[in-house]
């Protein structure tokens, strides 16, 4: 695996491969890699000639300085995992390399970027849009791989790709979970073991929603999920919501038939913020 930290080096390396007619699959990450990330790497490898992974903890997508400070960083372990997967190129630039100057661009991300995560993390999606477009411009992939775990991010990345005319296929990848159902996340490392074992309740509450939706209103479903999570975990449920998966508009009252629904939740457990979602057709 080639490990590159400079933009001009990674560009020329990738351009050499492109000139040889090779297709590029790109997996952007913030490191502290787990099996969820690795599933994206494997898909990128299977579907392209070359797999490029980036590790960059993007400071401008953190609205909370404390969250950025304690975000897990395991570069040596990440290297071993990527070597084992036979990833071709790791791009791990410094902050100064990506932001030599503050990035003052403002993206029109529409209504999708005003709800759910955006309400609780002001500026988060502008930060995501800035870093994703910078990396798309540097790497110029044919395909880029994103997890459904961050479904709002995925929707916004798809919108940016269309709006800005990037010729990049955005590939959605399913959420990998721990045995108890907890969605894998770099932040899970910050959870105490005795709390982590109970965090499967977040997913099981979302499963309940996907099973009971015919019998209850959205408000009832949300209240039940919140109650169940709070009865098991010492936590603050920031939201449980049901949205139309196609445009992220909120569903209220009775769930309409034959609609692609995403039920999503954000829960703060012991200062660790966890998000998860489940998608189903009503
Ligand atoms: P992150 O390092 O958290 O920025 O995540 C990098 C990519 O991995 C994003 O596209 C995430 O949606 C994806 N990802 C994170 N957790 C999982 C998971 N449990 N299963 C599948 N993909 C994931």
């Amino acid at each position: 695996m080639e490990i590159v930290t400079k933009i001009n080096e990674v560009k020329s390396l990738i351009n050499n491969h492109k000139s040889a007619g090779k297709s590029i699959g790109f997996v952007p990450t913030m490191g502290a890699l787990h099996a969820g990330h690795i599933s994206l790497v494997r898909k990128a490898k299977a579907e392209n000639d070359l797999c490029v992974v980036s590790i960059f903890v993007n400071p401008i997508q953190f609205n909370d300085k404390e969250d950025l400070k304690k975000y897990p960083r395991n570069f040596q372990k990440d290297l071993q995992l990527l070597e084992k997967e036979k990833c071709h190129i790791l791009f791990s630039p410094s902050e100064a390399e990506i932001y030599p100057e503050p990035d003052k661009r403002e993206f029109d991300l529409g209504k999708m970027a005003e709800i759910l995560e955006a309400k609780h993390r002001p500026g988060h999606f502008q930060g995501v849009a800035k870093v994703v477009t910078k990396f798309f411009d540097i790497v110029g992939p044919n395909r880029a791989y994103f997890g459904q775990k961050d479904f709002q991010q995925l929707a916004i990345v798809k919108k940016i790709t269309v709006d800005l005319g990037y010729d990049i296929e955005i590939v959605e990848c399913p959420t990998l979970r721990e045995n108890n159902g907890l969605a894998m996340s770099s932040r899970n490392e910050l959870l105490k073991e005795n709390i982590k074992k109970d965090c499967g309740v977040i997913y099981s509450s979302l499963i309940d929603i996907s099973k009971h939706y015919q019998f209850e209103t959205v408000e009832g479903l949300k209240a039940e999920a919140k109650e169940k999570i709070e009865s098991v975990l010492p936590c603050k449920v920031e939201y449980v919501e049901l949205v139309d998966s196609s445009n992220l508009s909120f569903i209220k009252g009775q769930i309409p038939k034959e609609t692609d629904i995403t039920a999503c939740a954000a829960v703060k457990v012991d200062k660790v913020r966890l998000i998860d979602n489940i998608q189903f057709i009503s």
Side-chain angles (χ1 to χ4, degrees):
M1 180 170 71
E2 306 250 19
I3 302 164
V4 190
T5 57
K6 297 289 175 211
I7 292 174
N8 55 7
E9 282 174 25
V10 81
K11 270 187 172 172
S12 80
L13 190 60
I14 291 172
N15 279 338
N16 287 343
H17 288 287
K18 281 191 193 159
S19 312
K22 294 196 174 162
S23 61
I24 314 291
F26 176 45
V27 183
T29 82
M30 298 206 298
L33 302 180
H34 50 69
H37 295 115
I38 297 303
S39 70
L40 272 55
V41 172
R42 290 187 181 161
K43 202 163 163 57
K45 274 202 74 177
E47 296 177 354
N48 302 276
D49 300 315
L50 207 80
C51 172
V52 180
V53 173
S54 64
I55 293 182
F56 180 65
V57 181
N58 178 32
I60 65 166
Q61 74 183 66
F62 286 80
N63 53 307
D64 174 354
K65 283 208 180 80
E66 206 45 43
D67 186 27
L68 172 62
K69 210 165 104 188
K70 66 180 195 214
Y71 194 83
R73 291 159 171 91
N74 295 330
F75 193 69
Q76 289 309 320
K77 188 175 155 222
D78 292 349
L79 274 186
Q80 285 173 6
L81 283 171
L82 293 173
E83 291 278 12
K84 192 163 156 241
E85 292 303 316
K86 301 196 164 46
C87 163
H88 301 102
I89 299 175
L90 169 61
F91 179 45
S92 60
S94 66
E95 192 181 329
E97 185 72 8
I98 296 300
Y99 301 115
E101 301 286 336
D103 186 340
K104 298 217 171 89
R105 292 174 298 163
E106 279 293 316
F107 291 83
D108 176 5
L109 304 174
K111 291 242 173 306
M112 266 193 304
E114 291 170 11
I115 56 169
L116 302 171
E117 286 301 282
K119 278 258 180 274
H120 295 268
R121 305 188 68 188
H124 171 66
F125 288 119
Q126 285 295 328
V128 168
K130 286 173 186 174
V131 81
V132 166
T133 50
K134 280 204 183 237
F135 277 76
F136 279 3
D137 291 336
I138 295 166
V139 176
N142 301 84
R143 297 181 191 85
Y145 295 77
F146 290 86
Q148 284 167 343
K149 155 138 193 308
D150 301 281
F151 87 104
Q152 192 178 6
Q153 166 175 282
L154 178 60
I156 287 168
V157 168
K158 281 184 187 165
K159 177 177 162 55
I160 300 170
T161 306
V162 172
D163 288 356
L164 302 182
Y166 282 105
D167 187 14
I168 300 173
E169 183 189 339
I170 305 300
V171 184
E172 288 187 30
C173 305
T175 302
L176 260 72
R177 300 180 177 282
E178 306 285 355
N179 287 338
N180 67 357
L182 171 65
M184 288 183 179
S185 163
S186 304
R187 287 192 169 86
N188 293 355
E189 287 184 25
L190 304 171
L191 292 167
K192 295 189 193 96
E193 276 310 316
N194 63 329
I195 288 185
K196 190 174 164 188
K197 74 176 185 357
D198 290 333
C199 286
V201 69
I202 301 170
Y203 184 50
S204 74
S205 305
L206 295 174
I207 293 178
D208 289 349
I209 292 179
S210 73
K211 290 198 172 141
H212 299 164
Y213 69 87
Q214 300 102 319
F215 313 113
E216 279 187 67
T217 61
V218 168
E219 292 68 30
L221 292 165
K222 282 162 47 171
E224 264 177 28
K226 189 168 181 282
E227 210 172 290
K228 179 167 167 177
I229 296 168
E230 286 177 345
S231 73
V232 174
L233 285 175
C235 69
K236 182 179 179 328
V237 175
E238 289 192 349
Y239 62 78
V240 176
E241 290 291 352
L242 279 80
V243 297
D244 183 326
S245 310
S246 65
N247 56 15
L248 270 55
S249 63
F250 288 115
I251 311 274
K252 295 195 170 106
Q254 220 67 44
I255 296 200
K257 283 208 167 68
E258 287 165 28
T259 308
D260 189 335
I261 307 278
T262 299
C264 51
V267 181
K268 211 162 191 179
V269 195
D270 214 12
K271 295 196 184 145
V272 184
R273 200 166 174 284
L274 303 173
I275 58 169
D276 200 355
N277 67 82
I278 192 169
Q279 205 176 336
F280 61 96
I281 310 281
S282 56

